[in-house]
Amino acid sequence: MACVGSALGLRCTVRALAAEGRSRRNWLVTASVAIASGIWTMHFVAMLGFGVSGSAIRYDVPLTLLSLVVAMAVVGAGVFTVGYGRSRWRSLLLGGLGTGLGVGVGAMHYLGMAALRLNGTVRYETPMVVLSLVIAVVAATAALWAALTVRGTAGAAIASLVMGVAVSSMHYTGMAAVRIELAPGRVVLDGVTAMEFVFPLTVVLGSFLFLASAFVALSPTAKESAEAAEAAAAAPLHPTDAPASAPTSAPASAPTSAPASTPVA
């Protein structure tokens, strides 16, 4: 899921750089939604396999949704920096920083973890948290660079794989930092189970990513659209009916000569 979301988002970013005006903005919005959705889906698919011996697990719905919204906003800030930045390297650095921190801090992982409800307390080891953020920033910057520099299908696949693997690495590095102190008790936990809310939302976002990927793959690029327009303009016109001939005016009659006068005898 991380690779699919990254592939769609990076291709939309490349399409945006070849577009102008409203079209560029729309491509960048799609890229932001795709990358954030892929990362969010990856995180909670992984959390479906997370369990704590001695406690049930629930998720706070508002915080879970907030993690998705914030992810889209922060990743969007990084993607728009790349899309509208004048300096390429500065845009890449700021875009990678925004996208990476959006993945790592408020936008995704740790806000999603804050939605966790269990009979105990969740703590983190600071060095592992810092390492997870470094992985996220470096990987996001490298993926953006690869997407904007390496051309062709192979380049897009490499960039998507780099970002997808890095996002997953960031997730499991962050999870390695987790330390849970159980609090004995039978307190009823607030929130919903993963299968009641997280799983259905994951299916919806996953379906969106695959359908959007198909749409982007089938839609023509800006270059292809321009070539098609040029070809249409250069095509010969279809033959049309010959114009009706103008009515021919009747020739003017020759002037009638005056009758010869009869000589007088």
Side-chain angles (χ1 to χ4, degrees), residues 39-65:
I39 294 166
W40 190 95
T41 305
M42 179 280 307
H43 171 84
F44 282 101
V45 166
M47 292 304 292
L48 291 176
F50 177 74
V52 178
S53 299
S55 176
I57 293 179
R58 299 289 186 272
Y59 291 90
D60 182 272
V61 173
L63 270 180
T64 301
L65 292 176

Side-chain angles (χ1 to χ4, degrees), residues 12 119 131 152 183:
C12 289
N119 292 318
L131 178 59

Side-chain angles (χ1 to χ4, degrees), residues 81-260:
T81 300
V82 173
Y84 286 99
R86 296 183 179 181
S87 172
R88 181 177 185 179
W89 288 108
R90 181 184 299 175
S91 299
L92 279 175
L93 291 176
L94 292 177
L97 182 65
T99 304
L101 292 181
V103 172
V105 186
M108 190 57 265
H109 183 84
Y110 293 104
L111 188 55
M113 289 298 293
L116 202 63
R117 298 289 179 265
L118 49 79
N119 292 318
T121 304
V122 179
R123 297 185 298 102
Y124 298 93
E125 289 189 353
T126 303
M128 296 298 287
V129 171
V130 173
L131 178 59
S132 70
L133 300 183
V134 171
I135 292 174
V137 172
V138 172
T141 304
L144 287 173
W145 174 85
L148 301 180
T149 304
V150 183
R151 299 303 180 190
T153 305
I158 291 172
S160 305
L161 185 62
V162 167
M163 192 166 184
V165 170
V167 166
S168 300
S169 301
M170 177 269 150
H171 170 84
Y172 288 106
T173 303
M175 292 305 294
V178 173
R179 297 293 181 269
I180 296 177
E181 296 179 357
L182 288 176
R186 297 287 182 179
V187 179
V188 178
L189 298 172
D190 295 331
V192 297
T193 65
M195 296 304 294
E196 289 174 342
F197 174 70
V198 173
F199 180 73
L201 186 56
T202 299
V203 172
V204 170
L205 290 178
S207 301
F208 158 75
L209 288 176
F210 282 105
L211 291 175
S213 297
F215 171 78
V216 172
L218 295 176
S219 63
T221 63
K223 181 179 179 181
E224 292 171 345
S225 299
E227 291 175 349
E230 291 178 0
L237 298 176
H238 294 289
T240 56
D241 295 332
S245 57
T248 305
S249 57
S253 57
T256 305
S257 57

